Amino acid sequence: MFKRIASLIMCLIITAGIFALPFSAAASSYSQKLLDEGFPETYVDSLVSLHSKYPKWNFKAFQTKLDWENAVDGERKKHSNQILLKTASRGDEYYCQCSDCKGTNHASEAAVKYYMDPRNWLSEKYIFQFESTKYSSKENQSGVEAIIKSTWMKNSYITYNSTSSVSKTYKDSDGNKVKYSSAFLTAAKDSGMSAYYLASKVVQEVGASSPTTGGSCGTRVPFIGMYNYYSIGAYSTAMDGLQWASGFMKAKKTTTIYPEYDDKKKTVKGSASSVAAGTYMSYITKAGDYYKVKLYKEQNNSYTKDGKTGYVLKADCNTNYFTYGRPWTNPYKSIYYGAKFIAKGYLDYQYTGYLQKFNVNPKSPSIHSHEYMTNADGASSEAAITYRAYSNASILDEEKTFYIPVFKNMPKEKCTVKEGGEEEPSNPVKGLTLESRTKTSLTFKWDKFSGATKYYVDIVNLTKSTSFGKTVTTNSASLNNLTPANEYAVRVRAYTSKNGWSDYSKTNIKHALPDKAQGLKVKSVADTSVTLSWSVMPGADGYYIYSYNPSKKQYSKIKTVSGGTSSAKVSSIKSAAEHHFAIAAFTTDSKTKTGAKSAKVSATTKLKKVKLKSLTSPSKTKIKAKWSKASGGESGYEIIYARDKNFKKVVAKKFISTKKTVSYTGKNFTKGVTYYVKVRTYKTVDKKKKYGSWSNIKSVKSK
């Protein structure tokens, strides 16, 4: 952008001389546009900077008409409405210290202000909490795939554990398998919600390298085969969300449960048991006039697992909450109907991630409540996921609209938390650098701190949003048992007997090296190219493809591909030759040192298909053919002549025994007759000829 603007200015100066345009004019003009839109001056610099990099982004001032302090008080009407995960990187100042909250994870007023202040999040990484969650026709399946690339959903068909504990693959009404990315796109179109928002929401709620969390695994008793990818209703635990997804089925009166059902006679059988009115049931399947269910009780925010399984009359079951497609007995129903539920509750008034966390829309009938999440940093966390996904999909520079809240009487400066703000520490540990790393360890060192008797190393796994720490007595530390390719934020502080703990060092963010690449296969082979495929590695930012020379026992890097990719074509290689390949994964900050190389695969390219360039009759009864050269392992060429274009009337064949020769003149052809010619390569293997594909056909009349 800078170069384009600078070039434009130079052109204007050269062609118009006296009409020199100051470089700041465009920025000044856009600044005024933002002010006219209703943004305070404290927003403008950040938005101008974003606009210069992403000129297609549209920023809308969302006027809340709320006083800042009143808005914060409204969001903290119940302190328990705002919580923060307790981590080693967050001090007491992040948590409310009032008599009711001390010792809890309820966010402090300062922390709530920090996360509520839009000015803290006007960067390209975090601004996506203000992006419209409404569906756009510009969204596509490849964009969704980029968002879910680090999860088990990446480029995968929907498979799941059924209510009968049988592994199944979901199929649509036409019997076709459905990919997760396709399900998100369909859900988006039919609900009006953004597909990218829905996918980011799921990654935030249940994203992992495999479906193991409560809302995604389908194996949690008593809710076997239930799914809740958006964690709707998961107020305390994921199990609450599964109960919500199951539809809160229960006995509406005293009834009976039977252990078996006869499909032929359409009746129940076996020793019956009584079921008290109000007993909860988890749905399994339908059977005639009965539901097969598992009974359970809800006790102290937990759910019993040992209830009976059997058949209960449908008429005796309360199914008032079988709305939005519930019970959600497969991931597709969870994704599709969950999107409709979110749209119904949030699309009218809470159409950004920020508004879903902090409902400050004055038109909302549920202002300061009806909020999708309780974690105060939820909107910013989801924004970071969306940013990484857009970046990986190379769609950051596409047109987007952001609705950024503006409050009355906002503080002159951005709100900060003592250690969470942007203030420079006054007495920090210095010189924190990475010494070495492996796939499961990072080793850091730092400058010695005068008088220090110990150091505390604070570590946050940014990939999984978990944290831990360790105390050491020297100015270095090895962090072990890490997850390959995960990204870690590390900082250090020192302790002296005189002054206590120092300020933290600057944070150093590094990835563990990726694990050994797996699943490398040859997908297809052509004459001068080979297409490879492999297993996507969670956390990897890309892959290097290597060729291997067995005689020299050397690897050579030949191609780099992005992390979300699981296949690539290696082109411009020799035809009719054996090639050996391997791959290794890398992360953005470890490109010079990769994970271990995969096992090698081999492929022999096909013989080169040459092009017949020209066919002439230079003199009496002669025909001359010229073709492109094969430069691989071919032995030579075969040229064939016929009196018909279908080559049923072949009159001559000729083998050229060297691939260096790329022309041949045949003799003794009949004057005035049209001849058709084509060429192909051959290679002699074990005294037998193997052939490449025929070239194009040309014809000429003999002189």
Side-chain angles (χ1 to χ4, degrees):
M1 174 57 76
F2 181 95
K3 290 182 179 179
R4 292 201 296 270
I5 294 175
S7 298
L8 175 60
I9 292 170
M10 290 303 295
C11 290
L12 289 170
I13 292 173
I14 292 169
T15 58
I18 60 171
F19 297 103
L21 177 66
F23 178 73
S24 62
S28 176
S29 175
Y30 192 72
S31 296
Q32 188 59 50
K33 179 181 177 181
L34 293 171
L35 293 171
D36 293 343
E37 170 69 26
F39 285 108
E41 290 185 4
T42 51
Y43 287 56
V44 169
D45 287 348
S46 297
L47 295 178
V48 167
S49 177
L50 286 172
H51 174 73
S52 67
K53 189 171 183 179
Y54 302 106
K56 292 183 181 179
W57 287 8
N58 302 308
F59 305 116
K60 303 292 184 182
F62 179 74
Q63 300 293 344
T64 68
K65 301 179 183 179
L66 301 176
D67 177 83
W68 169 251
E69 293 293 338
N70 290 341
V72 174
D73 290 344
E75 289 296 316
R76 298 188 75 238
K77 187 180 296 182
K78 275 184 156 184
H79 291 186
S80 58
N81 287 345
Q82 308 294 337
I83 65 172
L84 282 172
L85 176 70
K86 286 208 168 187
T87 69
S89 62
R90 290 176 177 151
D92 290 342
E93 64 276 3
Y94 277 89
Y95 303 97
C96 186
Q97 303 299 316
C98 75
S99 57
D100 292 332
C101 297
K102 195 166 185 178
T104 69
N105 62 352
H106 300 167
S108 66
E109 180 179 352
V112 173
K113 285 182 174 180
Y114 174 68
Y115 288 107
M116 277 187 71
D117 190 342
R119 297 170 298 183
N120 286 321
W121 312 108
L122 302 181
S123 66
E124 64 178 296
K125 182 175 182 180
Y126 292 108
I127 197 169
F128 291 98
Q129 63 189 282
F130 308 119
E131 185 186 15
S132 171
T133 57
K134 296 178 180 179
Y135 172 71
S136 167
S137 60
K138 294 182 180 180
E139 296 174 341
N140 54 55
Q141 195 167 345
S142 62
V144 177
E145 285 289 355
I147 292 171
I148 61 176
K149 75 162 192 172
S150 62
T151 76
W152 77 95
M153 299 179 285
K154 166 65 178 172
N155 200 30
S156 297
Y157 292 105
I158 296 175
T159 58
Y160 63 99
N161 183 64
S162 74
T163 54
S164 300
S165 293
V166 176
S167 179
K168 289 189 173 183
T169 298
Y170 177 79
K171 295 181 180 180
D172 63 18
S173 57
D174 295 325
N176 300 314
K177 295 188 291 184
V178 177
K179 288 189 175 182
Y180 286 97
S181 53
S182 176
F184 280 117
L185 208 56
T186 301
K189 291 176 181 178
D190 291 353
S191 67
M193 298 293 296
S194 162
Y196 298 165
Y197 164 78
L198 293 174
S200 296
K201 173 72 73 177
V202 170
V203 173
Q204 168 74 7
E205 296 294 341
V206 296
S209 57
S210 61
T212 56
T213 58
S216 63
C217 64
T219 57
R220 297 293 174 88
V221 182
F223 306 114
I224 297 293
M226 293 296 160
Y227 298 86
N228 193 340
Y229 277 29
Y230 302 110
S231 296
I232 299 169
Y235 304 112
S236 298
T237 67
M239 295 295 281
D240 293 344
L242 292 177
Q243 186 187 37
W244 191 97
S246 72
F248 299 103
M249 179 194 279
K250 61 182 178 180
K252 62 183 179 183
K253 63 179 183 179
T254 299
T255 186
T256 305
I257 187 169
Y258 297 87
E260 299 177 71
Y261 182 81
D262 190 320
D263 286 322
K264 292 183 179 180
K265 296 181 179 180
K266 306 296 182 184
T267 185
V268 290
K269 60 182 181 179
S271 180
S273 302
S274 178
V275 177
T279 301
Y280 278 113
M281 312 169 183
S282 182
Y283 173 92
I284 298 176
T285 190
K286 296 177 183 178
D289 294 329
Y290 292 83
Y291 285 123
K292 186 178 182 181
V293 300
K294 183 174 182 61
L295 306 181
Y296 69 91
K297 294 179 181 179
E298 184 179 357
Q299 298 175 336
N300 300 322
N301 294 323
S302 64
Y303 303 87
T304 58
K305 301 179 180 180
D306 55 355
K308 291 182 178 179
T309 297
Y311 298 84
V312 177
L313 269 172
K314 292 179 181 177
D316 293 346
C317 299
N318 186 335
T319 57
N320 290 345
Y321 296 99
F322 276 20
T323 55
Y324 294 101
R326 290 181 286 177
W328 291 346
T329 51
N330 61 60
Y332 184 89
K333 293 178 74 173
S334 171
I335 292 170
Y336 182 84
Y337 290 107
K340 291 205 166 190
F341 177 84
I342 297 171
K344 178 69 174 178
Y346 296 94
L347 199 56
D348 288 339
Y349 302 109
Q350 295 168 265
Y351 43 81
T352 68
Y354 180 96
L355 291 175
Q356 288 185 12
K357 170 59 205 127
F358 302 112
N359 185 7
V360 292
N361 188 339
K363 295 181 180 180
S364 171
S366 307
I367 190 168
H368 300 313
S369 63
H370 188 256
E371 295 175 344
Y372 194 90
M373 60 197 92
T374 54
N375 48 316
D377 61 347
S380 58
S381 297
E382 290 184 3
I385 292 172
T386 303
Y387 165 75
R388 287 196 295 270
Y390 285 179
S391 179
N392 291 337
S394 300
I395 55 176
L396 275 174
D397 56 356
E398 290 184 2
E399 184 176 350
K400 305 181 192 305
T401 300
F402 303 90
Y403 294 91
I404 306 170
V406 175
F407 299 86
K408 294 180 179 179
N409 303 316
M410 294 188 73
K412 292 181 180 180
E413 303 292 335
K414 298 177 184 178
C415 295
T416 62
V417 187
K418 182 180 178 182
E419 290 187 3
E422 300 178 356
E423 299 175 359
E424 286 292 325
S426 59
N427 188 31
V429 171
K430 296 180 179 179
L432 178 63
T433 56
L434 179 71
E435 281 279 274
S436 63
R437 59 180 146 191
T438 68
K439 67 181 183 180
T440 58
S441 69
L442 294 170
T443 299
F444 288 87
K445 74 170 186 176
W446 53 90
D447 297 343
K448 289 183 178 181
F449 193 93
S450 179
T453 56
K454 60 182 177 180
Y455 300 90
Y456 181 76
V457 186
D458 179 42
I459 309 110
V460 177
N461 183 326
L462 297 176
T463 306
K464 296 183 177 179
S465 297
T466 57
S467 64
F468 57 101
K470 67 182 300 183
T471 301
V472 296
T473 56
T474 62
N475 61 320
S476 66
S478 291
L479 315 179
N480 300 312
N481 301 316
L482 306 182
T483 304
N486 277 204
E487 185 179 35
Y488 294 87
V490 179
R491 60 179 184 168
V492 180
R493 61 178 176 176
Y495 182 84
T496 64
S497 56
K498 181 179 180 180
N499 297 315
W501 288 106
S502 73
D503 289 320
Y504 276 109
S505 66
K506 290 184 178 180
T507 301
N508 195 327
I509 299 176
K510 290 291 185 288
H511 287 79
L513 290 179
D515 209 341
K516 181 178 180 179
Q518 301 290 336
L520 182 63
K521 297 178 181 178
V522 175
K523 193 174 181 180
S524 62
V525 179
D527 53 2
T528 58
S529 68
V530 172
T531 299
L532 305 171
S533 65
W534 56 86
S535 301
V536 171
M537 297 181 63
D541 289 315
Y543 304 89
Y544 292 134
I545 299 178
Y546 298 88
S547 66
Y548 178 73
N549 186 322
S551 60
K552 295 182 179 180
K553 296 183 179 181
Q554 290 180 347
Y555 289 93
S556 300
K557 189 191 304 178
I558 56 176
K559 193 178 183 73
T560 302
V561 295
S562 63
T565 304
S566 59
S567 66
K569 179 187 284 189
V570 179
S571 303
S572 302
I573 57 178
K574 285 187 176 182
S575 56
E578 187 176 38
H579 300 271
H580 308 273
F581 303 98
I583 65 167
F586 67 82
T587 57
T588 51
D589 60 351
S590 65
K591 287 188 176 182
T592 57
K593 191 173 183 182
T594 67
K597 292 182 179 68
S598 67
K600 296 186 290 293
V601 295
S602 300
T604 300
T605 46
K606 297 179 180 179
L607 276 68
K608 175 74 173 178
K609 179 181 179 179
V610 296
K611 180 181 180 181
L612 184 56
K613 292 182 175 182
S614 64
L615 187 68
T616 60
S617 181
S619 60
K620 187 176 180 180
T621 71
K622 293 181 180 180
I623 294 177
K624 183 176 183 180
K626 290 184 178 181
W627 57 87
S628 59
K629 184 180 179 182
S631 57
E634 294 84 0
S635 302
Y637 310 94
E638 180 188 19
I639 182 170
I640 187 169
Y641 302 81
R643 290 195 177 196
D644 67 308
K645 61 183 178 181
N646 295 321
F647 287 83
K648 291 182 179 180
K649 300 176 181 179
V650 175
V651 297
K653 294 181 181 180
K654 174 67 177 179
F655 284 97
I656 310 297
S657 59
T658 171
K659 63 186 177 185
K660 292 182 180 180
T661 300
V662 291
S663 67
Y664 176 75
T665 302
K667 302 177 181 179
N668 302 318
F669 291 98
T670 304
K671 180 181 179 180
V673 174
T674 298
Y675 292 91
Y676 296 84
V677 175
K678 59 183 179 180
V679 184
R680 65 179 175 180
T681 55
Y682 77 88
K683 183 177 183 178
T684 302
V685 180
D686 296 330
K687 298 182 180 181
K688 292 183 179 181
K689 288 183 173 67
K690 291 186 177 182
Y691 296 95
S693 298
W694 286 109
S695 70
N696 55 313
I697 299 169
K698 286 185 176 292
S699 63
V700 68
K701 184 181 287 188
S702 175
K703 290 183 178 179

